[in-house]
Amino acid sequence: LPGIRSIRSWNWQSNFVIFNGRGFSSEDPGFCSIKEADEPMNERAGMNNGVFSRILDKVITFLFFTIVILTILLVFLRYVLNATIIGGNELMEYLFIYTTALGAALAIGRDEHIKIQYFIEKLPPVLFAGARVLGYLLVVFINAVIVWLSFPWMQKVGMSLSPVLRIPTWTVQVSVPAGCILAILYCFAKSWAVLRRYAEEKGGRS
């Protein structure tokens, strides 16, 4: 309604986002936060709680678990047995790089990246959708620049061998463009989901 702030809430019975003119109250049983309201949208984007994201989550969990095990083992060997694993510290660093690159992409897919939505949430539906899409496109631009600059970087120094494991450094450096490409795909999927959600909301109000 004109002059009345719309509240985005999820109608769990009809599985459709509705707009209403009631007062803003977190105690309203029909109310949920913007993030909660966007969860079904993310699911339909196919990259939030889908198979791909679950696989990526398991890969990151495995890498992190490996880092923890290596850390405990290296500390035990060093301070108890006065021994070490050759290349263990270097391997942990490389695993951490992969965990960071892949985890950053997954965070974007789950809307867990750092963002301030106080003002965006107060916008009318059309501006809200536009602001969300614009934000994703800016993230796409930043990651695309990183991907573009990564390949010349890998061509120059990627064939040099690591100090201890003696593996080509490009095997580690490739995690940077790989994570950025995944982030770009997530942004496009979520932008499409935002636009589709707005079209459904607009159709529901008409």
Side-chain angles (χ1 to χ4, degrees):
L1 295 177
I4 300 179
R5 181 178 62 183
S6 296
I7 301 174
R8 297 171 180 81
S9 61
W10 181 254
N11 187 324
W12 298 103
Q13 295 179 347
S14 63
N15 286 340
F16 190 81
V17 169
I18 60 174
F19 290 82
N20 56 66
R22 291 176 294 171
F24 187 92
S25 174
S26 59
E27 298 178 355
D28 187 342
F31 167 80
C32 68
S33 66
I34 293 296
K35 186 176 186 300
E36 293 171 338
D38 282 345
E39 287 178 357
M41 172 193 72
N42 295 332
E43 292 176 2
R44 286 185 294 178
M47 297 190 69
N48 182 35
N49 295 321
V51 176
F52 179 80
S53 289
R54 289 197 295 268
I55 294 175
L56 187 58
D57 185 44
K58 293 183 183 299
V59 170
I60 295 172
T61 301
F62 173 77
L63 295 177
F64 185 78
F65 180 76
T66 305
I67 293 174
V68 173
I69 295 300
L70 273 175
T71 302
I72 297 174
L73 184 58
L74 288 171
V75 171
F76 175 80
L77 290 174
R78 179 175 181 179
Y79 292 100
V80 177
L81 302 180
N82 196 25
T84 188
I85 299 176
I86 298 177
N89 290 324
E90 188 174 287
L91 178 60
M92 280 199 311
E93 294 175 0
Y94 295 161
L95 292 177
F96 183 77
I97 293 172
Y98 267 94
T99 302
T100 303
L102 299 178
L106 187 60
I108 292 177
R110 292 178 172 176
D111 265 337
E112 295 175 351
H113 56 293
I114 298 176
K115 58 185 180 293
I116 300 176
Q117 295 198 140
Y118 177 78
F119 297 104
I120 295 179
E121 292 175 358
K122 297 182 178 298
L123 295 175
V126 61
L127 294 181
F128 172 81
R132 290 293 301 273
V133 172
L134 178 61
Y136 289 132
L137 292 180
L138 290 176
V139 175
V140 167
F141 174 76
I142 294 173
N143 284 273
V145 171
I146 296 175
V147 171
W148 178 264
L149 297 177
S150 294
F151 290 103
W153 169 53
M154 289 189 293
Q155 288 178 350
K156 290 182 179 179
V157 299
M159 295 308 298
S160 60
L161 300 179
S162 61
V164 182
L165 296 176
R166 308 304 293 173
I167 60 175
T169 55
W170 70 263
T171 58
V172 181
Q173 296 167 345
V174 73
S175 64
V176 176
C180 291
I181 291 173
L182 289 176
I184 290 173
L185 294 177
Y186 272 118
C187 287
F188 280 136
K190 293 179 73 63
S191 296
W192 170 252
V194 168
L195 295 176
R196 186 168 59 178
R197 168 60 60 84
Y198 173 72
E200 291 178 357
E201 293 171 347
K202 185 176 180 181
R205 296 195 306 268
S206 61

